Amino acid sequence: MNMRRRTFPSCAVVVTALLAFAGAAVPGPEVSGAATPGLTAPPDSAADVTPQRLAAPAPADWVAPGRDGAGTYFSPLTDINIGNVARLGFAWDYRLGTYRGQESTPLVIDGVMYASSNLGRVYALDAASGKELWTYDPQIDGQWARYACCDAVNRGLAAFQGVLYVGALDGWLHAVDARTGRRLWKVDTLVARSPKKPYTITGAPLLAGDLVVIGNGGGDFAGVRGYVSAYDRKTGGLRWRFYTVPRDPALGPQDQPHLEAAVKTWDPKHPWEAGSGGTAWDGMAYDPVLGLVYIGTGNAAPYNLHLAGRRGGDELYAASIVAIHVHDGTLAWYYQTTPGDRWDFDSTEKFVLADLELDGRRRAVLMQAPKNGYYYVLDRATGELISAQPFAFVSWAHGIDPKSGRPRVDASADYDHGPALVFPSEAGAHTWQPMAFDPTRGVTFLPAIEGGNIIMETSDRRAGLVEGQFTTPALPPELYDPIGMRSLYGRLPPLAQLERGLKTNPASRGFVRAWSVAERRVLWETPTATSFDGGVIATAGGVVFQGDANGYFNAYAADSGKKIASIALGSSMLAAPVTYAVNGTQYVAIVAGYGGGGVILGAPLDPESAAYKYGNEGRIIALKLGGPPPQLPPLRTDVPMPELPERPADARQIAAGEVLYNRYCSRCHVMGRGNLPDLRRITPVTHALFDSIVLGGAYSVKGMGRFDDVLSLDDAHAIHAWLIDQGWLLKAELASAAH
């Protein structure tokens, strides 16, 4: 039996960080797991999206996160083209009042822009002027910001018949009147709401007929079991829920039929208390003709399936593409891209649906370029593998067997007996940043990452757990420092030893690549500013647009990859842009702001990045032909070194604090310029409140959750002592540099 792809008939159906975001208020009580009463949107409301508009949007509009229901991120507009794109200039900008990462592509419908930002906030703007029409604040529980693995981001909205749908970070799904910004209903999507079940929502909802489908994140933490839920789009009533991974067999038979086959692929010694992961945190799609919802699933939990003597297994349906019958939520088919994933190779990246001529046949296909480095083309009715070829350097496998669909795993990717350098890295050869598909050319434009990481098992090292990576931290070669890391990780091999025999440049790099789907190869590539830049869109004007981390908005020729314009905006960018037209004028806009997996690595911002130079204030920036050059933000300066408490003298306490800081804090608070405070520079007031903040949740309304479920008072004192000691070291370093 082909365990990579199996088709099933339809049958009945037998949610660490120290995150600071001012103004996130704690909501009042609501009935957990139930929707507030459904309300009917006004009859002549805005955002009047219909099934026909989703299938074929007007050229001026962008009605879904990927512009259309197929997720192409391709616009037929041609007024901005390769001949005049260098004339792009400033049209307007809108300040979001946040310094967190921005990952959403706005919707533009009938001249109104609808954009989402951190935590699930929504903004309605006049798309020609940037004038604010209304804003919506989901009033999330600030504690939940702690559980976001990779920043308190949001990736977009769904719109249908006058209603906007947005997932809030704390797990509630909201329906908002697109004309007024008034909430129509909200529903708690979490099956369990507690620190031991750290679910979050960062992805955009999916419209599927009369349903709105939402997944969640959290698979990088213990306790989370992946699932997606489908709600009635008018009332918020739950219609079905689909679990992606099994539950503990000790609880009895599996709670859904498709999991009976899945549980046989998990090691009998699997630690079911880990929750098993498999979360569907981003990419989803819907085919209304086939009646299928497609979801991509993330890593199994924990990453290292060989830990504690386990042999592992395929671990269905983690790291998979799964098709679900829309009418009853049952499994139609699946294809597992990375069976037995041990490298965090999520398959949650965005899908593109297309009808293409391939090998002499017209095929209805689903395409994805997941983290593992292979570009997959599947038959979207059956899940049959049509092709799978690498679009970046891959060392973990040396090919995909065309008959079984299984990867041929390379022994060099095994880290059971010591650190291993593996390509791609945990960031992936491609991750959530959207790719664009030009249906007229049959070409995908892909933000690709060439980079690996040194991955190791730390359950037997002093560092132990590194929250968000279990006991399997991974570092890019640029941050790998065996001497400097010894206090946490013990003796480590030199980088030269790990690179021995490597057949690529080990430096992390980024590219925009043009991938021919029919020819299964890269047509051209052009290097980008860093290894973690923005998503892309393409247009019929022959232009591919991408923002980068260094603050430049770039335009490339779709036929050659030649850079034909580069506009300094002074804001780091990760999201994909949007292009639209109002009153005959074409605009290109982007939600700018850095964060997410690009900076949550325990390392400070790159000095070349715009976030380092100018700060990271979130903005929506719109450009048009003939506009003036955008004005850059003022240069960022560091706050003066504050007065420090007396330097602690207990070496053991300081050493313990280093481990605890690395475990629970370093993922978000870095030593140097970052998007969150450098805790060596906290004020005397914050020093005085330290225990209340860390253990009592004094700053939870700012998004800094309490950690008293994992830290004792002695632990908090140890972290504080280490930070004070680090502050004194920084003070000495600054004094030395001044002389």
Side-chain angles (χ1 to χ4, degrees):
M1 178 175 63
N2 180 358
M3 291 298 292
R4 304 283 60 71
R5 179 187 64 82
R6 188 179 177 193
T7 303
F8 290 79
S10 173
C11 60
V13 175
V14 197
V15 127
T16 40
L18 306 171
L19 301 177
F21 183 93
V26 179
E30 298 239 9
V31 179
S32 178
T36 54
L39 299 174
T40 302
D44 296 319
S45 59
D48 188 19
V49 178
T50 62
Q52 293 75 23
R53 291 188 80 178
L54 274 173
D61 291 334
W62 195 285
V63 302
R67 184 178 179 271
D68 48 41
T72 62
Y73 288 84
F74 177 82
S75 170
L77 293 176
T78 60
D79 286 353
I80 298 172
N81 52 59
I82 57 174
N84 62 21
V85 68
R87 294 176 48 222
L88 275 180
F90 182 77
W92 56 261
D93 71 353
Y94 177 87
R95 300 177 186 277
L96 296 168
T98 172
Y99 292 85
R100 308 309 304 273
Q102 302 297 329
E103 298 187 356
S104 69
T105 299
L107 310 181
V108 181
I109 306 166
D110 299 326
V112 178
M113 176 181 289
Y114 305 97
S116 66
S117 181
N118 309 118
L119 313 178
R121 289 176 170 159
V122 184
Y123 304 83
L125 310 175
D126 181 294
S129 68
K131 178 184 176 182
E132 180 185 298
L133 304 177
W134 55 256
T135 66
Y136 177 77
D137 188 342
Q139 297 289 303
I140 82 156
D141 179 353
Q143 174 69 20
W144 236 255
R146 169 189 159 184
Y147 306 131
C149 87
C150 310
D151 211 350
V153 298
N154 186 278
R155 297 190 191 87
L157 306 162
F160 198 81
Q161 294 182 347
V163 181
L164 303 173
Y165 301 92
V166 64
L169 189 73
D170 62 350
W172 290 79
L173 176 66
H174 297 244
V176 181
D177 180 350
R179 181 169 57 87
T180 66
R182 179 172 61 98
R183 186 171 76 205
L184 302 176
W185 53 257
K186 77 174 198 176
V187 62
D188 189 354
T189 72
L190 303 191
V191 295
R193 183 172 287 279
S194 76
K196 293 185 178 180
K197 307 290 183 183
Y199 291 99
T200 54
I201 292 178
T202 57
L206 172 73
L207 286 164
D210 62 350
L211 303 179
V212 56
V213 182
I214 191 73
N216 46 60
D220 298 313
F221 300 92
V224 168
R225 179 189 179 200
Y227 63 89
V228 293
S229 306
Y231 297 92
D232 185 289
R233 62 176 175 80
K234 294 183 178 179
T235 68
L238 179 66
R239 294 274 287 273
W240 50 257
R241 178 167 284 136
F242 180 95
Y243 283 96
T244 61
V245 292
R247 68 175 184 174
D248 187 347
L251 298 175
Q254 292 299 312
D255 43 358
Q256 295 184 330
H258 65 279
L259 298 173
E260 292 294 348
V263 72
K264 298 174 184 178
T265 69
W266 290 70
D267 193 297
K269 297 179 181 179
H270 177 75
W272 295 101
E273 68 277 6
S276 306
T279 53
W281 55 263
D282 191 28
M284 297 188 291
Y286 172 57
D287 186 325
V289 175
L290 295 173
L292 295 179
V293 170
Y294 305 100
I295 66 171
T297 64
N299 57 273
Y303 298 163
N304 191 355
L305 55 86
H306 291 176
L307 191 60
R310 299 191 296 272
R311 295 183 179 180
D314 283 358
E315 297 184 321
L316 293 174
Y317 300 94
S320 297
I321 299 167
V322 181
I324 304 168
H325 293 288
V326 70
H327 66 280
D328 64 1
T330 57
L331 180 65
W333 56 259
Y334 72 87
Y335 177 91
Q336 191 170 38
T337 57
T338 313
D341 171 30
R342 304 180 61 205
W343 310 279
D344 192 14
F345 287 161
D346 297 339
S347 293
T348 52
E349 287 61 45
K350 293 169 179 63
F351 299 118
V352 175
L353 308 184
D355 295 334
L356 300 175
E357 195 78 25
L358 298 173
D359 301 323
R361 294 176 55 192
R362 192 71 176 171
R363 306 292 297 264
V365 303
L366 174 150
M367 299 178 286
Q368 188 192 53
K371 278 186 178 183
N372 73 12
Y374 287 88
Y375 191 101
Y376 292 89
V377 182
L378 305 180
D379 184 296
R380 65 177 186 261
T382 66
E384 175 193 352
L385 175 64
I386 297 172
S387 65
Q389 295 294 328
F391 61 87
F393 178 74
V394 170
S395 72
W396 73 275
H398 46 91
I400 306 295
D401 184 279
K403 293 184 178 179
S404 68
R406 296 189 68 93
R408 304 181 184 98
V409 178
D410 193 279
S412 67
D414 185 350
Y415 53 88
D416 283 343
H417 305 292
L421 176 56
V422 180
F423 286 75
S425 72
E426 286 186 351
H430 171 236
T431 184
W432 63 267
Q433 287 98 321
M435 62 187 189
F437 177 70
D438 182 340
T440 63
R441 301 171 186 260
V443 173
T444 298
F445 304 100
L446 176 67
I449 302 172
E450 288 286 354
N453 56 203
I454 293 93
I455 189 167
M456 68 186 87
E457 175 56 52
T458 58
S459 59
D460 57 351
R461 296 175 184 264
R462 183 166 175 261
L465 172 70
V466 181
E467 195 174 55
Q469 294 183 310
F470 299 101
T471 59
T472 318
L475 292 167
E478 295 88 344
L479 297 181
Y480 183 70
D481 178 6
I483 303 301
M485 295 165 55
R486 182 169 293 182
S487 62
L488 287 170
Y489 300 107
R491 189 175 298 277
L492 295 169
L495 182 60
Q497 177 180 323
L498 297 173
E499 292 177 344
R500 193 172 298 151
L502 189 65
K503 297 179 180 179
T504 189
N505 180 349
S508 300
R509 297 160 292 146
F511 296 87
V512 173
R513 287 184 170 141
W515 178 269
S516 170
V517 177
E519 299 175 47
R520 305 171 188 178
R521 67 181 182 92
V522 173
L523 299 178
W524 56 254
E525 69 176 30
T526 188
T528 58
T530 75
S531 63
F532 209 76
D533 294 312
V536 302
I537 63 170
T539 76
V543 184
V544 177
F545 290 106
Q546 182 194 44
D548 67 34
N550 290 355
Y552 290 87
F553 190 74
N554 303 299
Y556 303 98
D559 59 355
S560 66
K562 179 183 178 181
K563 184 185 290 188
I564 48 180
S566 188
I567 303 158
L569 299 183
S571 292
S572 295
M573 291 160 277
L574 285 176
V578 61
T579 189
Y580 59 93
V582 181
N583 297 326
T585 298
Q586 184 179 351
Y587 298 83
V588 186
I590 191 165
V591 183
Y594 209 52
V599 296
I600 309 298
L601 290 170
L605 290 166
D606 186 331
E608 294 300 314
S609 71
Y612 182 96
K613 293 178 178 179
Y614 303 106
N616 197 47
E617 183 177 9
R619 297 190 291 160
I620 303 175
I621 307 168
L623 306 173
K624 66 178 182 179
L625 293 175
Q631 185 175 355
L632 300 181
L635 291 173
R636 179 178 181 177
T637 58
D638 293 320
V639 298
M641 193 71 191
E643 289 296 320
L644 292 166
E646 182 180 351
R647 190 169 189 174
D650 188 334
R652 289 187 178 181
Q653 183 187 45
I654 293 170
E658 178 189 25
V659 172
L660 292 167
Y661 179 90
N662 185 68
R663 181 169 299 168
Y664 296 112
C665 314
S666 65
R667 185 163 44 87
C668 293
H669 287 281
V670 302
M671 298 299 179
R673 285 191 185 179
N675 289 345
L676 296 175
D678 179 342
L679 298 182
R680 299 172 300 177
R681 293 176 176 265
I682 58 178
T683 66
V685 171
T686 302
H687 279 295
L689 293 173
F690 194 86
D691 293 348
S692 297
I693 296 167
V694 174
L695 301 178
Y699 283 1
S700 64
V701 293
K702 297 181 180 182
M704 166 56 203
R706 59 195 297 165
F707 281 76
D708 57 340
D709 58 316
V710 293
L711 295 175
S712 67
L713 184 61
D714 286 345
D715 291 337
H717 289 170
I719 294 172
H720 197 189
W722 186 76
L723 288 170
I724 294 170
D725 188 66
Q726 291 293 306
W728 280 99
L729 291 173
L730 175 61
K731 186 174 182 178
E733 180 183 325
L734 294 174
S736 176
H739 291 86

